[in-house]
Amino acid sequence: DQSGIVAVNIRTANGGDYAATFSTSEMAVNEWAYLSFSYSTPDLKLFLNGIERASTTTSGGNIIPSSTSLLFGNSDGLTQSYEGLMDEVSIWDVSLTETQIQAFMNLSLQGDESNLIGHWNLNEGVGMTFSDLNINGNNGSVYGAIWSTDVPPTPSEQIDFSLEFGQGDYMQIPMSESLSTFNTFTVE
């Protein structure tokens, strides 16, 4: 968010739009941060480096699914942009605890972990598509963002990439049955 706010916004079937936010002043400049959020009706939580930083209580119910796609790096109306680097995105069909999020922060997921419904490690390094390493195969497309070798420190020796987002850049994952209807989830 241009105002210096990290935000996650959801819309529930029971009526209402909800946001959990915290100030970007809580984040170190030019250092990698691990952002995640979880929803287990009615609680929406936002985490920074595995520590809960914000939460809100909703009216409950399933998240209203997008009829088109999941977007990362930009809002649905393409009016708000994330400018920075992104490395790995995972979606779980459970609300992970703070302890679980902290454990997954330092692991390289394989894509076959229990309750994992999508995992994109963003290690393609070339092209305008990225692959879901999960059996659901929800592959996505890159719009404007460029591949970078600036990545978080990892214990592995493998070649790793990230995506660098500028104004208006985003990545898109088409909506599918495996991503469309749930009332409990975590995005890391």
Side-chain angles (χ1 to χ4, degrees):
D1 182 290
Q2 294 175 350
S3 62
I5 299 292
V6 174
V8 59
N9 300 289
I10 63 169
R11 179 172 292 160
T12 66
N14 286 358
D17 294 330
Y18 300 92
T21 65
F22 67 85
S23 171
T24 55
S25 67
E26 295 185 45
M27 300 172 71
V29 176
N30 295 322
E31 287 187 24
W32 280 93
Y34 194 88
L35 294 173
S36 49
F37 65 93
S38 67
Y39 177 71
S40 181
T41 188
D43 299 315
L44 175 63
K45 298 178 181 180
L46 181 57
F47 301 84
L48 171 62
N49 296 324
I51 306 295
E52 184 180 330
R53 294 289 191 211
S55 65
T56 191
T57 300
T58 73
S59 62
N62 283 355
I63 300 299
I64 296 176
S66 168
S67 60
T68 55
S69 301
L70 295 176
L71 300 177
F72 292 90
N74 226 312
S75 70
D76 191 29
L78 302 180
T79 57
Q80 296 178 336
S81 292
Y82 165 71
E83 294 183 36
L85 296 159
M86 189 178 303
D87 182 54
E88 297 200 19
V89 174
S90 299
I91 301 177
W92 305 79
D93 66 2
V94 295
S95 180
L96 298 177
T97 66
E98 208 172 66
T99 302
Q100 290 170 312
I101 290 170
Q102 290 168 4
F104 288 127
M105 282 175 44
N106 300 310
L107 293 178
S108 291
L109 300 178
Q110 301 304 305
D112 60 356
E113 288 78 5
S114 180
N115 298 108
L116 185 67
I117 58 174
H119 177 64
W120 303 268
N121 67 6
L122 305 179
N123 279 343
E124 284 75 5
V126 296
M128 301 313 292
T129 59
F130 54 94
S131 299
D132 182 0
L133 301 181
N134 186 270
I135 194 167
N136 290 316
N138 295 303
N139 301 330
S141 300
V142 177
Y143 296 90
I146 58 173
W147 296 103
S148 172
T149 55
D150 184 354
V151 295
T154 62
S156 74
E157 298 286 327
Q158 73 184 37
I159 296 174
D160 199 5
F161 292 92
S162 65
L163 279 173
E164 183 174 351
F165 294 82
Q167 182 68 33
D169 298 345
Y170 63 99
M171 57 188 232
Q172 177 179 357
I173 301 165
M175 192 50 64
S176 70
E177 186 176 330
S178 63
L179 297 175
S180 65
T181 305
F182 37 84
N183 63 7
T184 302
F185 67 92
T186 302
V187 176
E188 299 183 287

